[in-house]
Amino acid sequence: MYPKGLIDFDRLSGKDLLIAEREGAANCMTVLKLKNNYTFIQRDVCFGINEIKGTYEIQGDTILFKDVKTGRMSDHYYSYAIVKQTASSLNKKYPGELILYKSKSDHPDRALAITKNELNTLF
């Protein structure tokens, strides 16, 4: 059963429709997954694991985050994200970016590279 074990808990939580990730300093990694049951999971791995869960709603090219349960390392989360096509969107490996915002007056401080996008919206 090595290395995946008997139960794949990530797969049990639903099919991944969108996966976006970012690698930071010291090999810290952030992975955000939007599931087909309108839930999301973000895992931050950096000197420990922080998991943030909630639900989402899609309006055009915008993803609204709701009912967010933050992990042990944070007490807030982004209120929405925008899917942005980039010049490198033609590259099949990274078909765009997910720009995260805390509020409408916020300047984006975080972008995640989209590695999988199967959302049925017109981005």
Side-chain angles (χ1 to χ4, degrees):
M1 301 293 118
Y2 179 77
K4 294 187 178 186
L6 291 173
I7 301 171
D8 184 355
F9 290 102
D10 189 44
R11 195 170 190 186
L12 287 176
S13 63
K15 180 183 175 189
D16 297 331
L17 295 182
L18 184 133
I19 300 174
E21 58 188 39
R22 177 182 175 171
E23 184 173 354
N27 278 352
C28 294
M29 188 73 165
T30 297
V31 178
L32 174 66
K33 294 181 179 183
L34 300 183
K35 303 290 190 171
N36 64 340
N37 59 0
Y38 296 100
T39 62
F40 75 90
I41 299 171
Q42 178 176 314
R43 285 191 185 95
D44 297 313
V45 180
C46 190
F47 308 111
I49 298 173
N50 186 36
E51 191 170 84
I52 299 169
K53 295 181 178 183
T55 60
Y56 69 91
E57 179 182 321
I58 298 175
Q59 294 181 358
D61 66 348
T62 304
I63 300 164
L64 303 171
F65 299 110
K66 300 179 175 190
D67 304 321
V68 177
K69 295 171 188 70
T70 58
R72 63 180 176 84
M73 298 162 102
S74 64
D75 59 354
H76 70 282
Y77 193 68
Y78 300 95
S79 58
Y80 67 97
I82 295 178
V83 176
K84 179 181 174 189
Q85 297 288 339
T86 61
S88 62
S89 294
L90 299 176
N91 179 351
K92 301 256 186 224
K93 186 175 179 183
Y94 300 109
E97 290 181 328
L98 191 65
I99 312 296
L100 299 166
Y101 294 87
K102 293 178 185 169
S103 67
K104 289 184 180 182
S105 62
D106 185 26
H107 295 290
D109 65 344
R110 191 144 218 208
L112 305 174
I114 296 173
T115 57
K116 177 181 181 179
N117 188 354
E118 293 182 1
L119 295 173
N120 293 330
T121 56
L122 302 173
F123 301 154

